[in-house]
Amino acid sequence: MAKFVHYCLPISLTIIAITKAMFLPVLSMDPEFPSLTEGGGSSFSIFAMSNLLKESDASLNRRQKRALSASYRRCQDCPLKFYKLVFIYLLLTAGDIHVNPGPNYKYPCGMCSKPVRINQPGIQCDNCSIRHHDTCTDIPVATYDRLSRTGEEWLCNRCHEPFQFADSYFDIDQSLTDTSPNSTSADEDPSTGTNTTYSNPFDIDLPRGLKLRHLNIQRIRSSYDTLKLSMANKPFDVITLSETNLNDSVPDGSITLPGFTLGDIDATTLTSHGKATFISNTLVGRRRLDLEVDHLDCLWTEIILPKTRPILIGSVYRSPNSDSEHLNDIMNNISNALDCNYETLILGDFNLDLLPIRKKGLTKNMHAFMRQNELSQMISEPTRVTPHSRTLLDHIYVNRKNHVTQSGVIPTGLSDHRLIYTIRRANKPKSIPRRITTRSFKRFHQESFVDDISKIPFSCIEGLDDIDLMWHTWKTLFNGVSDGHAPLKTVAVKGEHTPWVTDEFLSMTWERDHLKKVAEKHGSLDTWTRYKKCRNKLNNLAAQLKCEYFQTKIEDTKNDSSKLWSTLKEAMHSSKHRNIPNIIDDGAIINDKSKIANAFNNFFANIGSELASKFHTGPHTPSKYDTLCNFQFQTVGIDHIEKLLNCLSPGKATGLDNISARLLRLSAFHIAPSLTYIINFSLSHGVFLLDWKTAKVSPAFKDGSRGQVDNYRPISVLPVVSKILERVVHDQLYHYLTGNKLLNKWQSGFRPGYSTTTALGYVVDDILSNMDGACGKKKYTD
C-alpha cells in the first residue's frame, strides 16, 4: 500500500493543483499542519484537502461529503487511507472515469436491464434484437399464451417494428443471437443497414451422411439458372422439387443439374403441378412406378446404398385448394409406401400449417395420420414467410427418427418458400472425379517435333510380313518421339461451366438472397418491395446475358454445322451423363471397377446376338442388278493418304494407341509413305489390323435406372489411323455403287448432297402432285 501511494500521490497532488487553479478560486490551507511524510515532500495537508472537497459543491452530493468528513475524522491518525479515498473522488470529479457498470448480462431486459433468463418467459424484438420480460411489457397471460401458440406478430414499443415471440425462447438458438442494443449484424453495414458481403446460402457446413432437400420452386424455368449455380458444389445428394410447372413441350434433357441425374420428372397436367427428383451421380436409384397414382403429385424413388437396405424417398405436393378426399388419397398412397417395410423419408409441400399448437380441420387429420403410422415431423421453423404471415407448409416425415442427424430450413430467394433439408446417417459412396489421359502440349515445339519425325526410319517395316508386327513397330517409333515432345498426363475433368455468368450476376444473386432474409426478418413492406425489385431485375439480367451470349456464339458458328449444333445443344441444356454409379446385377450391388467393366463388356458383346435371335427371317431373293464389272479394292497413292491425314480434325478423340490426330496431321508429309505401305498391304491381302479393331468403349446413359446395364448404349473410340483406312474403303465402295447405279434414287441418308430435307421434299412434292391431279402416283422403289 505504501508503494502504491508513493507512486500515485504526486499524480493526485498535481490533479488537485490543476483543479484549484481552474475551478476553485479559494483554497484554505494550514501550513502548520504536519506534512504527509517526515522527510518533507508535499505541503498539502489532510485539512487542506478536506476544505478543498467541501468547497466543490457541484462535484459531490450530500452523502459523499458526509462520508468524506467522517473519513477525515477517522483517518487523522492514518492519513494514507484518507489520501487514497480523496484520490478516488478526485478522479470521479475529473469526468473521465465512469462508475463500474457491474456485471454485463448476456440477455438484459430492454425495460429493467435485468437479465432475461432462459427459464423465464420473454419476448425478443426482431428489429433491435432486445429481449424483454413478459411482466415488463404488461402482456396479459391469455395474450401471452395465444402468442406462444401462433405466429401472430407483435409490435415493440421502442422501435414499433414486428418482433418475434419467444416462450422461454421456444426452440430459439440463443447462441446465435446478439442482444446488445448497440450490436450490428455481421452482414449489415452500420451506416446504411445494407449487406456488404454476400455468400451462397447453400455453402453451409453440414454433417456427413445422405443429404436430402426439398423446395417448392414455383416455375423452375425462371429460377433454373440460379438453381444450377447454387448446386455447383453439390451440397446435397437428393433434390426434390415441386410446382415445376413444366409441360410436355420441354424435353427432360433440358433440365439438368451438374453432378446429378434426373431420376424422375412429371410434366404439368390438369391434375398435376409438376415435380422432379434429382439424384447424385454417386448414388444408385430407381423410380417406384408401382407406388405412384396418376392424379396425385407423388414421386417415389428407391435409393440403394452399400451394406444397407433400400431407402424409400417420397416427394409429395398437395394443392392448397384440394379437399379432404384428395388428402385421404395422399395418406393412402403413403400407407402403401410404408407397407414396403423400408426406411421412408417423405419430403414435400403439404400446404398444411403446423405452427399452431391446436390443429384443426385437414391439419388435424394429417397430424393424427402421422402419429398413427409413427412418423416424425422434422421441421419446426416457418417455411413460407410473406409480409402478412409465417407458416410451416413444407414438411419432412421419417419413420426412423434415430437415423436422422440434422434437419432444418435454409432461406433462399429462389422461391417464396424456404428450402427444407434433412441428413440421414449413412456411408454413401464418395464422388470420384472423371479423369482422362491426354497429351500435354504446354512445352510443345512444332518445328522440333517435325524435325525429329523426319529422322525416324519408318521404312524398316517394309521388310516384315506380318501386318500386326508392322503396325506395332511403326507405333513404337512414332510414340517414342511423341512422348518426348508431348508427354501423356492424367487430368481430372472439371464440372460444367456456365460461360455467360458474370460477377454482376453473382453479386446480384447473393444480394437477392440477403434482401429476402432481411424482408423475412423485419417484415416491413419496404424491405419486401426491395427484395421483389431485386428478384425481377436478376431474372431480367439472366435472360439478357444468356441471349447475348448465345446470339454471339450462333453468329460465330453459323458457317460450321457441327459447332452450330453443339451451340444449340448447349442452349437447350443438353448434357451427357458420364459418371457411372454402382451396378445392380441379380439384386446385388457391384461397386468394384473391374467387375462393373466386365458387366458392361458382357452386355455389349452379347446384345447383338440376343437381338438377332428374336428375328425370324424367311426365304428372300435379292434383287438382281446388271453389273458392268466385279468389285475389287485398288491400291492408293502416297498423295492421297497425305491428303486424308491433313483433313483430320485436331480435336478428334484418341484411341487406345494414344496417337493424337494433331501429331498425325503435323507429320503427314513424313509418315504418309509408311502408312500408305501398311494400308495397301491390308487391302491387297484382305486383312485388318487387330489394334485397329480394338476400341475404347464408354457406356452412355440413355434413360431409366442408372444401376441397370441395359439402360446404357456403347460409344466406341477406334484408333485415329484406322479412320484413314475406313475412308479409303468408303471412297472406293461408294464410287462403285454410284458408278453402277446400284443405290436407290430415293436414298437420302449418308450420301453427299442428300439429307432429310431432300427426302421430305420428295414426299411433299408427291402429295401436292396427287392433290392437284397433275400426274400419277410416283413410285419410291424401282
Side-chain angles (χ1 to χ4, degrees):
M1 178 65 71
K3 186 176 181 181
F4 174 81
V5 175
H6 177 73
Y7 284 101
C8 295
L9 186 59
I11 301 176
S12 63
L13 296 179
T14 304
I15 295 175
I16 294 174
I18 295 174
T19 306
K20 171 190 172 184
M22 297 180 62
F23 302 101
L24 303 178
V26 179
L27 179 64
S28 299
M29 301 181 66
D30 186 2
E32 299 179 356
F33 200 87
S35 59
L36 182 62
T37 60
E38 297 180 357
S42 176
S43 61
F44 281 112
S45 63
I46 299 175
F47 181 76
M49 283 191 178
S50 178
N51 289 339
L52 172 65
L53 295 173
K54 287 180 180 179
E55 293 178 4
S56 57
D57 296 335
S59 301
L60 302 177
N61 55 30
R62 182 180 301 176
R63 184 176 61 83
Q64 292 173 335
K65 290 181 180 180
R66 190 181 297 115
L68 190 61
S69 299
S71 300
Y72 164 70
R73 291 191 298 271
R74 293 193 305 268
C75 301
Q76 287 184 358
D77 298 333
C78 302
L80 291 179
K81 294 182 179 179
F82 180 74
Y83 272 101
K84 179 181 177 182
L85 182 62
V86 171
F87 174 68
I88 295 174
Y89 277 110
L90 286 174
L91 290 179
L92 293 176
T93 58
D96 296 334
I97 305 295
H98 297 279
V99 181
N100 185 0
N104 184 15
Y105 300 116
K106 189 174 183 180
Y107 305 114
C109 178
M111 303 293 293
C112 65
S113 300
K114 294 181 180 180
V116 184
R117 305 186 186 278
I118 296 179
N119 58 352
Q120 293 177 336
I123 300 176
Q124 178 184 3
C125 180
D126 199 22
N127 182 49
C128 60
S129 300
I130 299 178
R131 307 189 181 193
H132 305 74
H133 293 103
D134 61 335
T135 55
C136 295
T137 54
D138 297 330
I139 298 179
V141 177
T143 304
Y144 187 88
D145 294 339
R146 176 173 54 83
L147 293 174
S148 64
R149 296 192 301 267
T150 64
E152 183 179 348
E153 296 181 351
W154 186 268
L155 294 179
C156 177
N157 294 329
R158 175 176 297 183
C159 56
H160 299 285
E161 289 286 342
F163 62 88
Q164 188 174 355
F165 175 82
D167 184 5
S168 299
Y169 312 125
F170 309 106
D171 301 329
I172 295 179
D173 189 358
Q174 301 180 23
S175 63
L176 302 179
T177 307
D178 183 11
T179 58
S180 175
N182 298 325
S183 65
T184 304
S185 173
D187 294 335
E188 295 183 1
D189 189 342
S191 60
T192 62
T194 58
N195 189 23
T196 56
T197 58
Y198 308 101
S199 61
N200 190 339
F202 300 127
D203 291 342
I204 56 178
D205 294 330
L206 297 175
R208 298 180 59 184
L210 182 65
K211 304 178 182 65
L212 302 93
R213 53 145 278 187
H214 172 81
L215 177 64
N216 186 324
I217 195 66
Q218 292 182 337
R219 195 173 181 271
I220 191 175
R221 296 296 296 272
S222 60
S223 306
Y224 170 72
D225 297 311
T226 312
L227 176 66
K228 187 176 179 180
L229 291 175
S230 63
M231 292 294 107
N233 296 330
K234 298 181 283 297
F236 296 94
D237 302 306
V238 179
I239 302 173
T240 62
L241 303 175
S242 58
E243 282 199 274
T244 55
N245 293 333
L246 293 176
N247 51 35
D248 295 332
S249 63
V250 180
D252 295 350
S254 63
I255 304 298
T256 60
L257 292 180
F260 290 86
T261 301
L262 182 60
D264 315 314
I265 187 169
D266 275 2
T268 304
T269 60
L270 295 177
T271 59
S272 174
H273 296 79
K275 47 198 176 294
T277 300
F278 293 89
I279 305 173
S280 174
N281 291 337
T282 60
L283 300 177
V284 178
R286 65 186 183 95
R287 184 173 178 178
R288 292 293 301 271
L289 295 174
D290 57 317
L291 298 176
E292 299 179 6
V293 183
D294 293 338
H295 68 281
L296 297 179
D297 281 341
C298 299
L299 284 178
W300 295 97
T301 306
E302 185 178 297
I303 301 297
I304 302 176
L305 297 175
K307 301 179 181 180
T308 306
R309 291 196 63 190
I311 300 176
L312 197 59
I313 299 175
S315 175
V316 179
Y317 174 76
R318 173 189 167 270
S319 174
N321 301 324
S322 59
D323 53 8
S324 59
E325 183 179 356
H326 186 267
L327 179 61
N328 292 333
D329 293 340
I330 293 178
M331 292 188 294
N332 293 333
N333 185 249
I334 295 176
S335 298
N336 295 333
L338 294 175
D339 291 340
C340 298
N341 294 326
Y342 289 162
E343 180 179 353
T344 306
L345 298 94
I346 306 170
L347 306 87
D349 179 9
F350 289 82
N351 279 300
L352 298 173
D353 187 12
L354 298 183
L355 281 182
I357 297 180
R358 179 173 295 179
K359 308 297 188 296
K360 298 180 181 180
L362 299 180
T363 306
K364 183 178 181 180
N365 298 340
M366 187 69 183
H367 186 67
F369 170 79
M370 294 304 169
R371 287 194 303 175
Q372 180 182 358
N373 290 273
E374 298 181 353
L375 295 176
S376 301
Q377 210 285 113
M378 309 304 299
I379 304 300
S380 59
E381 304 176 44
T383 60
R384 187 173 185 266
V385 180
T386 66
H388 308 290
S389 65
R390 291 173 178 262
T391 52
L392 200 165
L393 305 179
D394 304 270
H395 312 159
I396 297 180
Y397 296 99
V398 298
N399 61 349
R400 297 180 186 177
K401 186 178 180 180
N402 58 324
H403 289 176
V404 177
T405 59
Q406 181 176 325
S407 300
V409 175
I410 302 177
T412 174
L414 296 173
S415 169
D416 63 352
H417 286 251
R418 294 178 174 180
L419 182 147
I420 59 175
Y421 72 92
T422 187
I423 302 176
R424 194 266 188 194
R425 185 173 62 250
N427 294 325
K428 62 179 182 178
K430 295 183 179 180
S431 177
I432 302 177
R434 189 170 67 93
R435 299 182 180 275
I436 59 174
T437 301
T438 183
R439 291 193 178 274
S440 175
F441 290 89
K442 186 176 181 179
R443 295 179 175 86
F444 179 77
H445 297 283
Q446 178 176 337
E447 294 79 5
S448 178
F449 169 76
V450 174
D451 183 64
D452 290 345
I453 283 291
S454 62
K455 299 177 183 179
I456 300 298
F458 289 108
S459 59
C460 65
I461 64 173
E462 298 179 2
L464 302 176
D465 296 333
D466 188 357
I467 191 173
D468 290 322
L469 183 58
M470 290 182 191
W471 170 246
H472 177 74
T473 304
W474 191 96
K475 180 178 63 174
T476 303
L477 295 174
F478 187 86
N479 281 337
V481 179
S482 301
D483 294 342
H485 292 269
L488 294 173
K489 67 174 183 178
T490 302
V491 296
V493 180
K494 296 182 178 179
E496 189 173 349
H497 177 56
T498 309
W500 58 266
V501 174
T502 61
D503 293 339
E504 180 186 3
F505 179 82
L506 294 176
S507 177
M508 191 174 295
T509 301
W510 298 330
E511 182 180 2
R512 178 206 59 186
D513 295 335
H514 173 74
L515 291 177
K516 176 69 177 301
K517 184 178 180 181
V518 173
E520 292 179 351
K521 180 179 180 181
H522 294 273
S524 62
L525 294 178
D526 179 61
T527 54
W528 279 102
T529 303
R530 291 170 55 194
Y531 156 69
K532 292 179 180 179
K533 288 183 178 179
C534 182
R535 179 196 61 189
N536 297 337
K537 185 177 179 181
L538 177 64
N539 293 337
N540 295 333
L541 178 62
Q544 178 184 352
L545 292 175
K546 291 178 64 177
C547 182
E548 293 176 354
Y549 169 76
F550 286 111
Q551 281 183 352
T552 304
K553 196 167 183 179
I554 290 175
E555 183 66 24
D556 296 339
T557 60
K558 63 182 180 180
N559 297 325
D560 191 332
S561 60
S562 61
K563 294 183 179 179
L564 179 60
W565 277 111
S566 300
T567 303
L568 295 177
K569 290 180 180 179
E570 181 184 358
M572 295 185 295
H573 308 290
S574 178
S575 64
K576 298 179 180 179
H577 306 288
R578 298 183 180 273
N579 294 333
I580 300 176
N582 301 332
I583 297 299
I584 304 175
D585 187 14
D586 295 333
I589 300 178
I590 302 176
N591 51 19
D592 184 70
K593 292 183 179 180
S594 60
K595 294 182 178 179
I596 292 176
N598 290 330
F600 277 110
N601 186 44
N602 294 333
F603 173 73
F604 293 148
N606 299 323
I607 187 62
S609 57
E610 292 179 1
L611 293 177
S613 62
K614 298 180 181 180
F615 293 94
H616 301 283
T617 58
H620 176 70
T621 303
S623 301
K624 296 182 179 180
Y625 295 91
D626 294 332
T627 56
L628 300 179
C629 60
N630 295 326
F631 174 77
Q632 187 176 0
F633 286 114
Q634 305 295 326
T635 58
V636 294
I638 297 177
D639 295 338
H640 184 63
I641 298 300
E642 182 180 354
K643 179 180 179 181
L644 294 178
L645 289 172
N646 288 323
C647 293
L648 290 174
S649 174
K652 201 170 190 63
T654 303
L656 293 174
D657 55 3
N658 294 323
I659 296 179
S660 171
R662 177 180 176 181
L663 299 181
L664 290 174
R665 186 172 179 176
L666 291 176
S667 57
F669 176 77
H670 302 284
I671 64 176
S674 56
L675 286 180
T676 303
Y677 181 84
I678 295 176
I679 292 174
N680 288 333
F681 189 93
S682 175
L683 295 175
S684 60
H685 291 76
V687 293
F688 198 83
L689 282 82
L690 181 61
D691 282 0
W692 291 2
K693 293 187 292 186
T694 306
K696 181 167 55 178
V697 181
S698 300
F701 178 69
K702 298 183 297 183
D703 194 6
S705 175
R706 292 179 59 87
Q708 303 294 333
V709 293
D710 53 355
N711 291 330
Y712 293 81
R713 61 182 179 88
I715 296 180
S716 301
V717 179
L718 292 167
V720 180
V721 184
S722 66
K723 302 297 181 181
I724 304 298
L725 179 57
E726 289 181 9
R727 175 53 59 180
V728 171
V729 173
H730 173 270
D731 291 343
Q732 295 188 18
L733 185 60
Y734 183 77
H735 177 72
Y736 173 81
L737 294 175
T738 55
N740 293 278
K741 299 181 180 181
L742 298 178
L743 292 178
N744 192 301
K745 64 178 181 180
W746 306 114
Q747 173 67 35
S748 299
F750 306 101
R751 296 180 65 184
Y754 293 82
S755 65
T756 55
T757 304
T758 56
L760 183 61
Y762 293 144
V763 175
V764 172
D765 181 67
D766 184 70
I767 293 175
L768 295 178
S769 299
N770 284 275
M771 290 176 62
D772 295 338
C775 61
K777 183 178 180 181
K778 292 185 179 181
K779 295 183 180 180
Y780 286 88
T781 57
D782 291 337

